[in-house]
Amino acid sequence: MAGGILDIDLSALARNWRALAKASGSAEAGAVVKADAYGLGMDRVAPVLAAAGARRFFVAIAEEGRRLRSVLGPGPEIAVFSGHMAGDSDAIRDAALIPMLNSPEQLRRHREALPGAPYGVQLDTGMSRLGVAPADWPEMRKAAETAVLVMSHLACSDEPDNPRNAEQLKQFRQMTDGLDVPKSFSATGGILLGADYHFDVTRPGIGLYGGAPYADAEPVVTLSLPLIQTRELAPGDWVGYGASFVADRPTRIATVSGGYADGLLRAMTGRGVLWHGDTPCPLAGRVSMDLMGVDVTDVPEPPEHLEILGRRQGVDMLADAAGTIGYEILTSLGPRYARRYHGG
Ligand SMILES: *Cc1c(COP(=O)(O)O)cnc(C)c1O
């Protein structure tokens, strides 16, 4: 069975990075490539970002950093959000990673395992997720004076009017006041909040890959699903598991290759739409593991493929149909698609 085709526009990716670097003002823009570059393939994405000018990369865990180092070679800085976890020392040393230390325990581990090795420090300014808690800060503050980067992360930056943004900013300023090291506070959303939020280094992720909250992002992915067969339904005929779609008119149903095992979330049943050019083709029946039924009655001639991500429907629109966010759509894109890379 032929699967879907995922087209990835590396030139659009590079333009998104340049635009977010410009929007970062005097701050240096890094690039977040965790989770295999948000599902698009770190091996292909990271070199394009490096060629566009990115010199600092961020990943979630040390093993990702090890792989990224083999992709990028020596030179670019690779920072690891999860810091120095037990078992990470070899990867940090071998791949020259910068762990963003999250606790006094991680600081001790780092100094014992790799004396003199560089590190950053991540602060918790309210999110209660990762980072040094305010209570532990006095103990870490001295070490932060020789960090290569001190950072924190905003929880609500996709909502510009949310007062938590200013609260976190105030907390970050208080904690880092007088600390003469490079500072980083903003992901995509924070960049768009303006210069107060930029500090020295920004960390765009989702905006590079074409997702909200960067409304001006160029789309990077197109996903086309091949039709396997079509059939004509009479009123009263039904489609798929649970018979949740019942035809109320003479209806042509196409069965396309692609389902929830490919990251096309089952939650979009009843709401999702595929596209043939400018013609919307609604899902008919439940999304199953490898297949989806699509109502193509309004398309004169059934095409070879239907688009589920592309010009007419971006990752955020598809995410809406599934009750989720663009990040989850991208990072769920499954391994069965043929990935085709363009430009760069
Ligand atoms: C994922 C992540 C980013 C990137 O966020 P986007 O919203 O994708 O731009 C930046 N910083 C941290 C700590 C992250 O976890």
Side-chain angles (χ1 to χ4, degrees), residues 47-90:
V48 169
L49 295 171
R55 288 286 165 269
R56 294 186 197 236
F57 291 80
F58 296 87
V59 293
I61 59 173
E63 279 313 312
E64 292 179 325
R66 194 201 279 275
R67 201 177 122 210
L68 181 60
R69 179 61 73 201
S70 73
V71 171
L72 291 175
E77 190 173 292
I78 300 175
V80 182
F81 291 141
S82 60
H84 193 145
M85 297 169 66
D88 283 350
S89 303
D90 289 354

Side-chain angles (χ1 to χ4, degrees), residues 32 34 38 58 81 122 129-130 151-153 157 186-189 203-209 212-213 327:
V32 181
K34 61 192 179 185
Y38 290 47
F58 296 87
F81 291 141
Q122 179 161 202
R129 193 180 67 163
L130 272 184
M151 63 166 276
S152 188
H153 192 51
S157 65
S186 283
T188 302
R203 308 187 306 273
I206 191 71
L208 306 175
Y209 309 106
Y327 300 74

Side-chain angles (χ1 to χ4, degrees), residues 130-342:
L130 272 184
V132 179
D136 289 329
W137 186 222
E139 196 184 339
M140 294 279 290
R141 165 115 196 174
K142 185 101 191 79
E145 286 169 11
T146 47
V148 301
L149 190 69
V150 172
M151 63 166 276
S152 188
H153 192 51
L154 288 158
C156 308
S157 65
D158 56 333
E159 302 167 20
D161 297 332
N162 194 313
R164 302 255 190 249
N165 295 322
E167 283 171 28
Q168 284 195 263
L169 177 61
K170 191 168 161 220
Q171 179 72 13
F172 188 61
R173 283 210 173 113
Q174 273 171 7
M175 288 174 90
T176 61
D177 187 37
L179 206 56
D180 188 23
V181 299
K183 300 179 188 102
S184 176
F185 193 50
S186 283
T188 302
I191 293 171
L192 305 174
L193 293 179
D196 283 355
Y197 288 81
H198 292 166
F199 293 87
D200 304 298
V201 176
T202 60
R203 308 187 306 273
I206 191 71
L208 306 175
Y209 309 106
Y214 184 36
D216 296 335
E218 283 191 44
V220 172
V221 292
T222 303
L223 177 57
S224 309
L225 304 178
L227 275 62
I228 303 172
Q229 61 175 168
T230 57
R231 69 194 65 241
E232 309 293 333
L233 269 58
D237 290 348
W238 47 272
V239 180
Y241 287 121
S244 65
F245 177 93
V246 181
D248 59 5
R249 60 171 180 166
T251 301
R252 179 180 292 148
I253 296 294
T255 302
V256 305
S257 178
Y260 61 76
D262 303 295
L264 302 171
L265 306 176
R266 191 171 172 279
M268 71 177 78
T269 295
R271 297 199 287 164
V273 173
L274 283 72
W275 293 84
H276 175 58
D278 291 333
T279 308
C281 304
L283 286 181
R286 283 187 196 157
V287 176
S288 43
M289 187 184 295
D290 321 296
L291 302 167
M292 300 190 294
V294 184
D295 184 341
V296 292
T297 313
D298 296 336
V299 178
E301 203 50 48
E304 277 180 25
H305 289 85
L306 290 169
E307 219 169 81
I308 189 160
L309 286 174
R311 186 176 58 80
R312 287 308 307 252
Q313 175 165 272
V315 289
D316 297 297
M317 193 170 152
L318 187 63
D320 275 351
T324 183
I325 53 177
Y327 300 74
E328 190 179 17
I329 296 292
L330 285 175
T331 56
S332 301
L333 293 169
R336 284 198 287 204
Y337 302 127
R339 283 164 165 77
R340 299 193 307 204
Y341 292 87
H342 308 273

